Amino acid sequence: MSARRAHLLAALAAHRAAFSARLDGLPDAVVHAVPAPGAWSLVQLAEHLVLIDGDLRADGPPASALARATSGLRSRGLRFVLSLPIRIVGPPSAAPVMPSAAPRWPDVRQRWAALRAGWRERTPEAGTVAFAHPIAGPFLPDDALAFLLAHHRHHDAQVRRTLAALGVA
C-alpha cells in the first residue's frame, strides 16, 4: 500500500472516529433532531457519509486510459469545490446516497464501523475505478479516498450549523 493511501485511510478513520465520538457524546434527542424543515439531523448526515463511503469499490473495473489520465485533475477540482464555504445541493443522480427519514444512530454507527473494517481488509487495486462520482466521473483509488476525505470535511460545517441551530455548543 502506498504511503499516500495509508495516510488517506488513516485520516478517514480518524475523521469517522471523531464524528462518531461527537455523536456518542450528545443526547439522543440532539443526534436525531432535525434543526429545520428540509434539513438533516446529525444521524442523517452520518448515514449520508456511510452511503457515500459505501460506494468505494475494491473490485472496480480497470480504468480507461482517459480516466487514468484525468482522475487526479477531476478529484482536485471536486475537492476545491468542496473546500468552498457554500452549500452544495446534490444532483438528482445522488438520490441513492441521500439519508432515510429516520435512521437510528446505533444502527448507522454499526454500519459505518463494519464498512470501514472491510476497507482495512481489502482496498482498491491501483489502476482500477474505485469510485464513480455522478458528475466528476470515475476516480482511481487514491483520488477516490482524497475525495471522500474532502467530502467528510465539507460536512463538518454542517455539523457545526446543526449544533448551533439546536443550541448545542
Side-chain angles (χ1 to χ4, degrees), residues 9-19 116:
L9 286 168
L12 280 160
H15 191 276
R16 185 197 62 79
F19 189 101
R116 291 295 185 82

Side-chain angles (χ1 to χ4, degrees), residues 15-83:
H15 191 276
R16 185 197 62 79
F19 189 101
S20 294
R22 187 170 209 176
L23 268 59
D24 286 342
L26 293 169
D28 195 55
V30 171
V31 171
H32 293 90
V34 175
W40 289 348
S41 67
L42 295 171
V43 69
Q44 285 176 304
L45 175 55
E47 185 179 44
H48 170 68
L49 295 175
V50 171
L51 292 168
I52 292 283
D53 286 359
D55 283 344
L56 183 72
R57 297 182 59 174
D59 60 348
S64 69
L66 180 61
R68 287 192 310 274
T70 62
S71 177
L73 179 62
R74 288 180 288 103
S75 178
R76 283 190 299 278
L78 190 54
R79 293 186 334 249
F80 171 75
V81 171
L82 289 171
S83 74

